Amino acid sequence: MDRQPYIDGKVYERLMQRAYPNQKTKRNGVDSTKMAYLIEAENGSKFYGLPSRQKQLENVKTYLSKAVAKFKTLDWTTDEFRYLLNQEDSIDSAGHSSQLLYAINELLELTDKFHVK
């Protein structure tokens, strides 16, 4: 089994933990397997009991959109806020996990200034 989907899943989870820093459960999509299973489904793997690839994609996009909504409440410069909105548009129009991962990495970099650890 390829490890890359799970590594990418951890990148996704790191962003979600920034949106929900005090959450100890997997609610609100704070779970690396959401992205990992989506990537596996795109690679042709099928796991019993999981929704279709398209449904998984829509679920992950919904979780990410809610995270971006939380990020919108932070204190941004005009340019940063505009860039945040661009990433939100990228998430909305994404049709593949690779497009989501690009936006996730950009959002991690953008939100880095608010992340304390």
Side-chain angles (χ1 to χ4, degrees):
M1 182 168 292
D2 188 12
R3 289 177 31 138
Q4 192 60 44
Y6 298 95
I7 293 169
D8 290 339
K10 285 296 185 183
V11 172
Y12 160 81
E13 185 176 291
R14 190 171 348 131
L15 178 68
M16 298 306 290
Q17 287 171 337
R18 285 191 184 175
Y20 303 98
N22 298 320
Q23 185 168 307
K24 303 293 185 221
T25 65
K26 296 180 179 184
R27 289 179 326 142
N28 299 313
V30 183
D31 180 4
S32 64
T33 61
K34 301 285 186 202
M35 179 62 74
Y37 287 155
L38 169 60
I39 295 168
E40 290 285 2
E42 290 172 342
N43 291 336
S45 298
K46 295 180 181 168
F47 295 97
Y48 179 77
L50 289 179
S52 69
R53 183 200 70 81
Q54 188 60 36
K55 181 65 177 169
Q56 289 181 58
L57 177 67
E58 292 304 318
N59 289 343
V60 171
K61 286 170 61 171
T62 298
Y63 292 134
L64 287 169
S65 294
K66 289 179 180 180
V68 169
K70 289 188 68 85
F71 294 141
K72 284 181 180 178
T73 65
L74 301 174
D75 188 25
W76 300 104
T77 66
T78 303
D79 289 340
E80 289 171 335
F81 191 75
R82 191 173 300 125
Y83 194 72
L84 179 68
L85 294 178
N86 287 342
Q87 295 311 312
E88 181 179 41
D89 290 342
S90 295
I91 290 167
D92 290 341
S93 64
H96 194 269
S97 63
S98 60
Q99 295 168 315
L100 291 176
L101 285 166
Y102 179 80
I104 288 167
N105 282 310
E106 295 297 309
L107 287 168
L108 279 169
E109 187 174 324
L110 185 65
T111 59
D112 211 28
K113 73 178 193 176
F114 297 107
H115 181 64
V116 179
K117 270 203 177 179

